Amino acid sequence: MTTAAVPRGNGEEARPDGRSPRSVLGKVGLILSAFGDGDLALSLTELTARTGVAKATVHRLCQELVTCEMLERDGSDYRLGLLLYSIGLRAPRQRTLRHAARPALENLAQALDSPVSLSVPNGSDLLCIDNAGRHRNRAGASIGGRLLQLHSTAPGKLTLALLPEQYPLARLTPHMRRMTARTLTADRLPGELVRIQEQGYATDCEEHRLGYSAVAVPVRGPRDGAYLGALSVVAPTARQNVPRTLAALRTASEAVTTRLSVIEAYRAEP
């Protein structure tokens, strides 16, 4: 679920980082980001509680967002509008990466018969921009879904290890939750991240969800090798074959990088 703002005792709105959204745009951002992965619709009361913004302000802004089609009415509740989805699809970095990765995701999901996801760094969390596989709705990440507990997932730990400046542990540690009995504690996480840096991939053995394990590898840019995102596979622990999955993931990741190189070369032609 999306992290919500919390109201201060004096009625002033505040986010978890302690800063107050004083502008209209900041409050709109809180309203739109209040919708979690499993929220089809939210009531005015729920939006007010999650954002910490005054109820009258939330109501007025929601009405305006409905008018511009960023929100839709669902009875007395509100849901995200299709305009947001169409705008999101226009984001050039995610659109290009998703286009380049789509064939590899489909081939990988079919070969392993497991859900495959592609997630990219998104502020302080990860955003799933594509997935494939017939079991993806049961075990895989949903498109547009956000991974908040990065320390308990394979793509999350991979990102923490490869982007330490963007995801400092000092900021992460206070918000770490134990998702299962296998979830790494704060004292064990630094050693795990060093190991991931050395081996170039990450695993999650029932650290996020009992009964399921995952493997993740980086997708890198064709020119500078920059970390673009995580390609991951989730499967029931009983049939997860890490060496086989890792080999297939690395082949798929290389295919995505190669396809990105071809796309860039095509666009550079006069």
Side-chain angles (χ1 to χ4, degrees), residues 30-32 34-35 42-53 58 62 71 77-78:
L30 287 179
I31 291 171
L32 296 178
F35 290 84
L42 294 175
S43 67
L44 181 62
T45 300
E46 289 172 318
L47 287 170
T48 300
R50 292 188 183 188
T51 61
V53 177
V58 173
C62 283
L71 288 181
D77 296 341
Y78 297 91

Side-chain angles (χ1 to χ4, degrees), residues 73-115:
R73 292 300 300 265
D74 184 10
S76 60
D77 296 341
Y78 297 91
R79 62 189 180 195
L80 295 175
L82 289 177
L83 180 60
L84 289 175
Y85 179 73
S86 64
I87 291 174
L89 291 177
R90 299 172 201 160
R93 179 168 65 92
Q94 286 85 345
R95 182 173 59 186
T96 300
L97 180 56
R98 187 181 184 192
H99 175 68
R102 189 62 202 173
L105 261 68
E106 292 179 346
N107 291 339
L108 190 60
Q110 183 174 9
L112 298 178
D113 191 28
S114 296

Side-chain angles (χ1 to χ4, degrees), residues 54-265:
K55 189 172 185 178
T57 302
V58 173
H59 180 263
R60 174 176 58 82
L61 292 177
C62 283
Q63 295 299 102
E64 295 180 8
L65 289 170
V66 168
T67 300
C68 66
E69 299 181 348
M70 290 189 177
L71 288 181
E72 298 175 353
R73 292 300 300 265
D74 184 10
S76 60
D77 296 341
Y78 297 91
R79 62 189 180 195
L80 295 175
L82 289 177
L83 180 60
L84 289 175
Y85 179 73
S86 64
I87 291 174
L89 291 177
R90 299 172 201 160
R93 179 168 65 92
Q94 286 85 345
R95 182 173 59 186
T96 300
L97 180 56
R98 187 181 184 192
H99 175 68
R102 189 62 202 173
L105 261 68
E106 292 179 346
N107 291 339
L108 190 60
Q110 183 174 9
L112 298 178
D113 191 28
S114 296
V116 181
S117 299
L118 176 63
S119 304
V120 298
N122 177 55
S124 60
D125 52 53
L126 288 181
L127 178 70
C128 176
I129 62 172
D130 204 358
N131 60 25
R134 61 190 179 94
H135 303 299
R136 63 184 182 275
N137 292 329
R138 184 174 63 192
S142 59
I143 297 176
R146 297 166 62 198
L147 298 179
L148 302 177
Q149 295 294 322
L150 302 186
H151 67 289
S152 64
T153 67
K157 290 193 294 181
L158 182 69
T159 302
L160 292 175
L162 299 183
L163 296 179
E165 294 184 358
Q166 182 174 340
Y167 297 86
L169 290 185
R171 187 178 65 193
L172 170 76
T173 302
H175 305 287
M176 287 176 59
R177 289 196 298 127
R178 299 210 70 184
M179 308 301 291
T180 73
R182 293 177 175 267
T183 305
L184 293 180
T185 53
D187 61 315
R188 294 179 56 197
L189 185 58
E192 172 77 350
L193 299 184
V194 170
R195 182 179 66 82
I196 292 171
Q197 291 172 347
E198 293 174 347
Q199 66 187 18
Y201 68 93
T203 59
D204 146 30
C205 184
E206 301 190 359
E207 295 167 41
H208 191 73
R209 182 179 177 186
L210 289 176
Y212 288 91
S213 298
V215 184
V217 302
V219 175
R220 298 191 177 277
R223 288 184 295 178
D224 54 7
Y227 174 63
L228 302 180
L231 190 61
S232 59
V233 171
V234 181
T237 302
R239 68 177 183 85
Q240 178 74 275
N241 184 323
V242 174
R244 175 173 177 256
T245 300
L246 180 59
L249 273 169
R250 284 175 165 164
T251 298
S253 176
E254 292 172 0
V256 175
T257 300
T258 299
R259 198 152 189 255
L260 281 172
S261 180
V262 171
I263 292 173
E264 288 186 2

